[in-house]
């Protein structure tokens, strides 16, 4: 049974291996409330997962250690288990979905773990890990449905209250639920008035739906770039703990997650992976009623693949209204492109790319389509450019008529 004493013991065990990550004020992320960031993306291995994995492994007996360790992970738990196993000289194998970011796979191998890539999702990797456990007698280090793992994650809750005792609410990413279970238990045990909220990606809402329906469900599939929380089925222990200690859950879209990653980069100079940014996305897009409150967003990890970051930034720019694509139907005659460019320039926009199409069968024979990608200050400026283009007698394709 999880107790506050166990979480304090976990904090004692972790004192020499895990960082007490900073809690920083983050102005500019929300006009509705005061946001603080618990920067677990700056943790050793780049994620909070080290805490639970290390504490769990520290509690194994000699017989369990002798048989070696098996774990399953989309990447962050893998690195935590691998590092803890390396420090304790325990043989370690990690089953990871073959779609896990290459950076996470390679980082896990560098900590000395043997990596077994499994087709499809985390849940498939979990099934393979169970098979290997039966074959080899290894000790399973579950990423979330284990009380020692949850206790390790709960040390973040202790740190948050120590760093900001006046916090009104804490927003936590949710995959299988181990992180929020530990954080919520610690916070509610010490300060029951502090709200704890959980956030999932809309493409992987297994815990959200389970809590709302009052019964654990298994999703047919998950689809989100927030790979660290792409879980089809909640944990048994975590479902019960979230039902008891968490005040509410919400989901955020892929575009909202991308916008949060971009905001963290630009305004706070912090890199977050998709799973780590869902808490910030929930605050930015007002998923909970927190007007005027002191809100801590737990940024759970920063292990995003650099090669993937460009696409995320582009989506974030589009979501925040700073990159806009417009298609204009024009009479195909000289000077039209210059006219469009002058309107955009006059309104303060910047043309990124231009595509001129004369072959679309939906246009008049003497017409052309001009597709322009524009950098804008915000959505209001983009709308102004569109209005000026219409005023000049040009027709926007795919836009609703101005009222």
């Amino acid at each position: 049974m999880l107790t506050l004493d166990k979480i304090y013991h976990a904090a004692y065990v972790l004192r020499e291996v895990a960082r007490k990550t900073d809690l920083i004020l983050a102005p500019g992320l929300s006009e509705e409330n005061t946001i603080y960031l618990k920067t677990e993306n700056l943790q050793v291995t780049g994620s909070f997962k080290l805490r639970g994995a290390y504490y769990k492994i520290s509690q194994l007996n000699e017989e369990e250690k002798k048989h070696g360790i098996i774990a399953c992970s989309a990447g962050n738990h893998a690195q935590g288990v691998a590092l803890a196993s390396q420090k304790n000289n325990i043989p370690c194998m990690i089953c990871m979905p073959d779609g896990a970011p290459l950076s996470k796979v390679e980082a896990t191998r560098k900590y000395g773990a043997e990596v077994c890539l499994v087709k499809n999702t985390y849940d498939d990797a979990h099934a393979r890990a169970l098979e290997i456990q039966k074959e080899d007698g290894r000790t399973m280090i579950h990423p979330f449905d284990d009380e020692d793992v949850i206790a390790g994650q709960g040390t973040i809750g202790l740190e948050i209250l120590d760093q900001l005792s006046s916090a009104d609410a804490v927003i936590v990413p949710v995959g299988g639920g181990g992180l929020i279970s530990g954080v919520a238990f610690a916070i509610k045990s010490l300060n029951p008035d502090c709200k704890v909220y959980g956030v999932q990606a809309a493409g992987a809402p297994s815990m959200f739906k389970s809590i709302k329906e009052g019964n654990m469900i298994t999703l047919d599939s998950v689809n989100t770039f927030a790979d660290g929380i792409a879980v089809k089925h909640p944990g048994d222990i975590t479902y019960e703990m979230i039902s008891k200690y968490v005040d509410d859950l919400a989901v955020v879209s892929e575009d909202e997650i991308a916008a949060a990653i971009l905001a963290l980069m630009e305004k706070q100079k912090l890199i977050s992976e998709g799973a780590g940014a869902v808490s910030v996305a929930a605050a930015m897009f007002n998923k909970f009623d927190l007007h005027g409150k002191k809100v801590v967003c737990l940024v759970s990890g920063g292990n995003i693949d650099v090669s993937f970051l460009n696409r995320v930034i582009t989506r974030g720019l589009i979501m925040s209204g700073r990159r806009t694509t417009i298609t204009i139907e024009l009479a195909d005659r000289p000077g039209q492109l210059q006219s469009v460019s002058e309107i955009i320039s006059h309104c303060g926009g910047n043309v990124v790319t231009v595509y001129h199409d004369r072959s679309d069968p939906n246009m008049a024979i003497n017409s052309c389509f001009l597709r322009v990608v524009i950098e804008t200050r915000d959505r209001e400026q983009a709308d102004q450019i569109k209005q000026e283009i219409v005023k000049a007698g040009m027709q926007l394709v795919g836009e609703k008529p101005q009222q």
Side-chain angles (χ1 to χ4, degrees):
M1 181 178 178
L2 183 64
T3 64
L4 196 57
D5 283 344
K6 178 172 277 194
I7 296 177
Y8 274 110
H9 181 251
Y12 177 79
V13 170
L14 291 171
R15 73 195 187 284
E16 293 181 355
V17 67
R19 295 170 181 158
K20 183 176 181 179
T21 53
D22 290 335
L23 185 76
I24 62 174
L25 179 64
L29 290 180
S30 173
E31 297 179 357
E32 298 292 322
N33 38 54
T34 304
I35 300 293
Y36 296 82
L37 303 175
K38 179 60 172 169
T39 54
E40 283 294 295
N41 57 317
L42 302 180
Q43 185 57 262
V44 179
T45 73
S47 163
F48 76 96
K49 286 285 191 177
L50 170 68
R51 296 174 183 259
Y54 192 92
Y55 183 62
K56 172 65 178 178
I57 290 170
S58 76
Q59 301 305 294
L60 299 179
N61 59 42
E62 292 305 315
E63 185 68 20
E64 290 170 323
K65 292 178 181 178
K66 184 174 69 174
H67 286 95
I69 283 170
I70 183 74
C72 55
S73 170
N76 287 336
H77 180 62
Q79 293 174 66
V81 171
L83 176 59
S85 299
Q86 184 184 67
K87 286 184 175 293
N88 288 276
N89 297 312
I90 305 171
C92 173
M93 178 184 287
I94 313 286
C95 293
M96 302 177 71
D98 60 357
L102 183 60
S103 58
K104 293 184 179 181
V105 175
E106 290 307 309
T108 302
R109 286 184 172 135
K110 286 180 180 178
Y111 286 120
E114 179 183 353
V115 174
C116 173
L117 293 178
V118 182
K119 287 186 177 180
N120 298 323
T121 66
Y122 158 81
D123 296 87
D124 299 294
H126 178 249
R128 178 59 185 144
L130 291 176
E131 292 174 359
I132 294 172
Q133 181 189 27
K134 290 179 181 179
E135 294 166 3
D136 297 351
R138 293 172 180 261
T139 301
M140 171 67 81
I141 308 298
H142 198 281
F144 52 83
D145 210 30
D146 180 284
E147 287 185 354
D148 286 336
V149 171
I150 293 170
Q153 322 304 24
T155 59
I156 300 172
L158 301 182
E159 291 180 13
I160 289 172
L161 291 182
D162 182 53
Q163 293 165 317
L164 187 69
S165 59
S166 60
D168 296 306
V170 179
I171 306 178
V172 186
V174 180
L179 174 60
I180 195 171
S181 293
V183 170
F185 182 87
I187 287 176
K188 292 296 186 180
S189 296
L190 295 171
N191 182 8
D193 293 331
C194 182
K195 301 290 186 183
V196 179
Y197 298 106
V199 190
Q200 291 202 292
S206 57
M207 187 67 79
F208 174 81
K209 287 191 172 182
S210 295
I211 295 296
K212 297 303 179 183
E213 295 180 15
N215 184 45
M216 284 197 294
I217 64 158
T218 301
L219 301 175
D220 294 330
S221 62
V222 292
N223 183 22
T224 175
F225 77 88
D227 55 282
I229 53 174
V231 178
K232 288 182 180 179
H233 185 76
D236 296 326
I237 298 171
T238 57
Y239 172 79
E240 294 298 329
M241 293 192 70
I242 289 172
S243 299
K244 185 174 182 179
Y245 296 108
V246 174
D247 293 282
D248 199 6
L249 295 169
V251 297
V252 289
S253 70
E254 300 293 279
D255 286 339
E256 289 169 336
I257 299 171
I261 291 174
L262 180 62
L264 286 169
M265 289 177 62
E266 286 195 313
K267 297 177 181 178
Q268 301 304 320
K269 314 307 179 221
L270 291 174
I271 300 294
S272 172
E273 62 188 274
V278 297
S279 57
V280 177
M284 287 174 59
F285 295 99
N286 301 315
K287 301 297 179 177
F288 306 107
D289 183 14
L290 295 171
H291 181 75
K293 303 295 185 181
K294 290 182 182 178
V295 181
V296 176
C297 293
L298 204 167
V299 183
S300 60
N303 295 318
I304 189 168
D305 200 318
V306 175
S307 63
F308 188 69
L309 198 54
N310 183 55
R311 281 187 282 173
V312 174
I313 291 171
T314 299
R315 289 288 288 271
L317 288 170
I318 293 170
M319 180 65 188
S320 59
R322 294 167 54 196
R323 177 165 293 193
T324 303
T325 301
I326 58 175
T327 302
I328 311 164
E329 184 174 354
L330 298 169
D332 193 9
R333 62 173 182 261
Q336 295 287 70
L337 177 57
Q338 180 180 347
S339 299
V340 173
S341 298
E342 287 176 350
I343 292 172
I344 294 170
S345 176
H346 178 73
C347 294
N350 181 49
V351 176
V352 179
T353 60
V354 175
Y355 176 69
H356 184 258
D357 183 8
R358 290 175 170 174
S359 60
D360 193 304
N362 295 315
M363 69 177 71
I365 292 176
N366 63 342
S367 296
C368 65
F369 282 169
L370 186 67
R371 186 173 299 111
V372 186
V373 179
I374 311 167
E375 287 180 339
T376 48
R377 182 181 60 252
D378 50 29
R379 205 168 269 108
E380 182 179 349
Q381 187 181 37
D383 289 340
Q384 180 192 4
I385 291 171
K386 292 176 185 179
Q387 290 168 10
E388 292 301 318
I389 288 172
V390 172
K391 285 180 183 178
M394 304 173 197
Q395 182 177 342
L396 295 178
V397 179
E399 295 282 339
K400 294 180 180 179
Q402 297 289 329
Q403 300 294 322

